[in-house]
Amino acid sequence: MSAAARELVSTRLADQRRHQIRLTRKRMTWWIPLIFVVGLCVTVYGLVPSIVVYREGRSAGHLVLFGVFTVFFGWAVGLWLLGPFLFRPRIVPCFARELGPYGGETMTAFRRGRALYRESAAVDRLAENLGVKPLSAFGFGDDYYEQEIRWHPASEGLTTIEALQRGLASLTVPSRGVAEDLQALASVVRTAAEQSVDFSLVLRLHAKDSMQVVRTREVRQGSFW
């Protein structure tokens, strides 16, 4: 894989990540972050005179009160601003229809995928060296984020994944977790191939997901397991 092609994989993932973050924030009720910003301004405004009063030897009650709320609102605003830098994305499979029950073995790959995201360029380079379709060719559009999801035959994906598993020893970058991610992915994609169910790879923003959110709030085609 050329340097330009490797850069394309990283760029695609970065663009996808930005798109998902932007749409997530757009869907969020606008007044929620505003409450924290206003709260921070009010508490800081009250904290300054409280410090003056405390230095004059009077009660520290207001200082403690405004101090606690300043820290709380400051933490919330900081988390909002720094949130995009704190995400730990992962790459997981999505299937055209449900493969198995919730909590079953077909959920294995959904719980992993961090290493596949982290080493995506190296994994695609390995696929090219092995003469198989790159893993990134099977994703990353997600209809939940208003994109077209493109389904692929699971048998094609399995060919790539199994080749990557065999060739992983030649990976020239640290591959911590890649073997485990590929093993989990292979197991569920193999099940999909046996059931003739198409699949696609999608990007998840967090290292772990709230299953309640995934099951009740995310309306999308297909299933993660």
Side-chain angles (χ1 to χ4, degrees):
M1 178 181 290
S2 66
R6 291 196 298 273
E7 183 178 352
L8 178 61
V9 175
S10 300
T11 300
R12 283 184 58 208
L13 283 170
D15 288 345
Q16 182 67 24
R17 174 175 169 169
R18 282 192 293 269
H19 171 75
Q20 293 184 195
I21 292 172
R22 183 168 56 249
L23 198 55
T24 297
R25 288 190 163 183
K26 181 180 178 181
R27 290 169 173 171
M28 184 179 292
T29 306
W30 65 269
W31 49 263
I32 292 179
L34 181 61
I35 287 176
F36 291 115
V37 172
V38 172
L40 178 61
C41 293
V42 170
T43 52
V44 169
Y45 184 78
L47 181 63
V48 174
S50 298
I51 294 174
V52 175
V53 169
Y54 175 72
R55 286 180 174 177
E56 292 176 350
R58 286 184 277 177
S59 172
H62 286 170
L63 176 62
V64 172
L65 179 64
F66 282 109
V68 168
F69 279 100
T70 297
V71 171
F72 171 73
F73 286 117
W75 170 82
V77 172
L79 190 62
W80 170 259
L81 295 174
L82 297 176
F85 303 99
L86 302 177
F87 289 130
R88 300 179 62 203
R90 66 191 203 278
I91 294 173
V92 303
C94 185
F95 303 97
R97 65 171 175 80
E98 188 173 290
L99 297 180
Y102 171 73
E105 293 183 357
T106 53
M107 288 190 67
T108 305
F110 182 69
R111 297 189 178 103
R112 300 195 58 91
R114 174 64 181 155
L116 289 181
Y117 172 84
R118 189 178 59 243
E119 306 294 350
S120 56
V123 169
D124 270 14
R125 181 173 64 248
L126 176 60
E128 184 189 44
N129 293 338
L130 295 171
V132 295
K133 196 173 183 178
L135 203 59
S136 62
F138 298 101
F140 300 93
D142 189 336
D143 62 304
Y144 177 70
Y145 292 100
E146 301 178 1
Q147 298 169 311
E148 179 185 0
I149 186 166
R150 297 181 179 179
W151 301 111
H152 306 270
S155 57
E156 290 185 11
L158 188 59
T159 297
T160 288
I161 297 165
E162 290 180 338
L164 289 171
Q165 286 182 291
R166 292 191 296 269
L168 194 60
S170 64
L171 200 60
T172 57
V173 298
S175 56
R176 178 173 51 87
V178 174
E180 291 81 358
D181 281 2
L182 286 174
Q183 181 178 357
L185 186 59
S187 67
V188 294
V189 173
R190 186 175 295 111
T191 299
E194 292 170 353
Q195 297 183 20
S196 299
V197 177
D198 291 344
F199 87 111
S200 182
L201 296 177
V202 299
L203 182 69
R204 303 296 294 178
L205 293 176
H206 301 281
K208 292 184 179 180
D209 280 297
S210 164
M211 298 311 300
Q212 181 180 3
V213 171
V214 173
R215 299 183 71 191
T216 62
R217 298 185 186 178
E218 294 190 9
V219 179
R220 59 162 39 85
Q221 299 178 49
S223 172
F224 286 124
W225 52 82

